[in-house]
Amino acid sequence: MARAGLRVLVIDMDPQGNASTALSIPHLSGTAGIYDVLIDGVPMSDVVRETPQVPGLWCVPATIDLAGAEIELVPLVARENRLRRALTAFLDSRAPGEQFDMVLIDCPPSLGLLTVNAFVAAREVLIPIQCEYYALEGLSQLLKNVELIQQHLNSDLEVSTILLTMFDARTRLASDVADQVREHFGEKVLRVVIPRSVRISEAPSHGETVITYDPASSGALSYMEAAAQMRQQEVLV
Ligand SMILES: Nc1ncnc2c1ncn2[C@@H]1O[C@H](COP(=O)(O)OP(=O)(O)OP(=O)(O)O)[C@@H](O)[C@H]1O
Ligand SMILES: [Mg+2]
């Protein structure tokens, strides 16, 4: 998205900090990040950083401290709304030439208060689905949670986009999973699939996404195509 000229903000809400790692944003324990925003009310403008490799791509990092936030959030006032409030205040404070075109929130794998905060702050849910059997098992629980959030906390939320990943064209299972997902979600499933790729696995160890690490690889090209299809979808909505 940023490569196409959009100004993009990535908020890392996963204590593992994988999005921060891949974008080369320091996130050792103690670094100011989304934890401080959620728990201590630090303004998001104090912790956001522009990524060194891609101009126009910004990141609010997550440190391992965020693992504790899942419990620390419980007694706090408006515990489900803390990300939404901080994000709205941040976006409202930006000067006209500094507005973001898109905000992406990377969620943790569990469905606790951090993910609830993300669902309350967001308008759309993008679900990457690995073309494996287990992925389908987790999916129905995820969809139930999205429904609960729609009913009680954020009626605007919708699952807008599904991206099939880890696709191995040699296996029958991968095609079966892809077919089932397309049957169920129809148009929401992006036409492009992300192939299983060694370059994608290698990229994070260099503090990069596959798009800067090996731009000509099949993995990078398919992620670029996924971004293009999402922009097109955006125009059509
Ligand atoms: N080698 C690979 N080939 C193709 N796609 C991959 C590969 N490795 C990861 N992916 C995809 O890239 C995305 C990010 O991978 P990552 O390992 O961060 O997984 P994740 O689903 O975010 O897991 P976690 O729950 O640990 O955060 C996922 O959608 C995953 O399916
Ligand atoms: Mg992740």
Side-chain angles (χ1 to χ4, degrees), residues 19 52 91 114 163 177 186-187 210:
L91 295 178
L114 288 171
L163 175 62
V177 170
E187 293 285 284
V210 72

Side-chain angles (χ1 to χ4, degrees), residues 14 16 18 109 128 130 165-166 194-198 200-201 223:
D14 185 344
Q16 298 174 104
N18 293 348
Q130 298 195 0
T165 68
M166 294 282 240
I194 310 297
R196 186 181 284 273
S197 135
V198 176
I200 294 177
S201 310
Y223 269 116

